[in-house]
Amino acid sequence: YEVCALEMSPPPYGNLSTTLLHKPGARGAAALASVVQDGPRRLDIVDFALFSSLAYYDHNDELNATLDGWYAPSGDDWYVRSVQDANVRFLDVYSPSRNLSVIAFRGTATGGDAIADMSNWYGSIFLGLSSLIMPLSNVLPLRFIQWFVSLTSSLQSALVPSVFDDSIDYAKSAEGSRRVVLAGHSLGAAVANIVAATNDQRSVAFSPPGVVWSTKTFGIELDLVASNTISVVPDRDPIAKIDMQGGLV
């Protein structure tokens, strides 16, 4: 894709195709383009999908063997630098030749993850369900929606600690010594986008809940969502229909 230099892989990944709806995201996409073109070979969107899937692996001792099987034949040198099992499980997948870490966040996999989903997107889910009866999300001003979602979500999330703080801190500290791109699927994709907007970093997200209605809830700037995040959203994914997508979609 011309705007961010990501492209779909030739075989052995398969003959894949999709459509991107281009929204504001030129600054983040241009920065990402400079990253994906470095190294033994050009990275593409399927690489970030593979890293995101790796975050679901429970057997930590098998992670590097899996990466070797994927990348060693092409001369790539990816390995898992760190595994963090905090509020959201994530991997730091590092390539020395690129001096690049892809921090991949796991999606919903446990009951605790599901509670975090409901807590953090409670206001957006409520508004989305209400809009099935009355098209509130289509007629209300965005600023009012953001205020409403922030108010309703804060009442719910007061019972559940933030799931983002450890992720934000780790990604911010990592950038001091190397380049960083964030990735993830489902809840992990939303975490990647929120961390990217918080730290002014870049993210490639797969099927995330949106964050535009929830910018006040998460304490992020809409402009940084727009400029730093890239999301791959299937047409009929109900998770991706929560809230409103922003950035390059």
Side-chain angles (χ1 to χ4, degrees):
Y1 300 102
E2 188 173 319
V3 67
C4 60
L6 288 176
E7 59 183 25
M8 303 303 290
S9 294
Y13 293 132
N15 184 16
L16 303 175
S17 63
T18 189
T19 302
L20 291 185
L21 304 178
H22 290 254
K23 294 184 177 181
R27 184 168 66 88
L32 183 60
S34 68
V35 170
V36 301
Q37 296 181 77
D38 288 349
R41 67 172 186 82
R42 177 185 179 129
L43 295 178
D44 59 46
I45 202 166
V46 178
D47 292 300
F48 292 99
L50 292 173
F51 295 143
S52 299
S53 70
L54 206 61
Y56 287 94
Y57 280 37
D58 290 329
H59 304 291
N60 293 345
D61 55 336
E62 297 178 5
L63 293 173
N64 284 320
T66 302
L67 281 170
D68 286 343
W70 286 347
Y71 289 108
S74 65
D76 260 345
D77 54 356
W78 294 98
Y79 72 93
V80 176
R81 180 173 179 144
S82 178
V83 179
Q84 302 288 324
D85 283 302
N87 290 315
V88 177
R89 174 182 168 87
F90 61 89
L91 311 178
D92 183 345
V93 187
Y94 179 65
S95 169
S97 64
R98 295 179 169 88
N99 193 30
L100 171 66
S101 277
V102 177
I103 301 176
F105 299 92
R106 188 186 68 185
T108 303
T110 67
D113 294 339
I115 292 173
D117 288 349
M118 288 293 297
S119 174
N120 287 287
W121 277 272
Y122 176 81
S124 297
I125 294 170
F126 178 82
L127 181 61
L129 292 175
S130 300
S131 295
L132 295 176
I133 303 171
M134 297 180 60
L136 299 177
S137 61
N138 294 328
V139 298
L140 294 175
L142 179 59
R143 288 184 181 275
F144 178 83
I145 290 175
Q146 290 171 331
W147 170 83
F148 173 81
V149 169
S150 175
L151 177 64
T152 54
S153 293
S154 64
L155 296 175
Q156 178 74 7
S157 61
L159 302 175
V160 181
S162 172
V163 300
F164 307 116
D165 292 345
D166 292 335
S167 303
I168 290 168
D169 292 343
Y170 185 91
K172 190 171 185 177
S173 65
E175 198 166 50
S177 59
R178 55 197 185 274
R179 298 181 297 174
V180 172
V181 177
L182 311 166
H185 168 257
S186 188
L187 170 64
V191 175
N193 285 345
I194 291 166
V195 173
T198 301
N199 292 344
D200 197 11
Q201 294 170 318
R202 318 296 173 232
S203 64
V204 180
F206 299 88
S207 299
V211 297
V212 170
W213 292 351
S214 303
T215 52
K216 290 185 179 296
T217 303
F218 299 133
I220 55 180
E221 297 293 331
L222 186 58
D223 287 348
L224 291 178
V225 174
S227 62
N228 289 338
T229 66
I230 297 173
S231 299
V232 180
V233 178
D235 287 340
R236 296 181 177 85
D237 185 351
I239 299 301
K241 293 184 183 299
I242 297 173
D243 208 295
M244 180 180 179
Q245 300 291 337
L248 179 64
V249 181

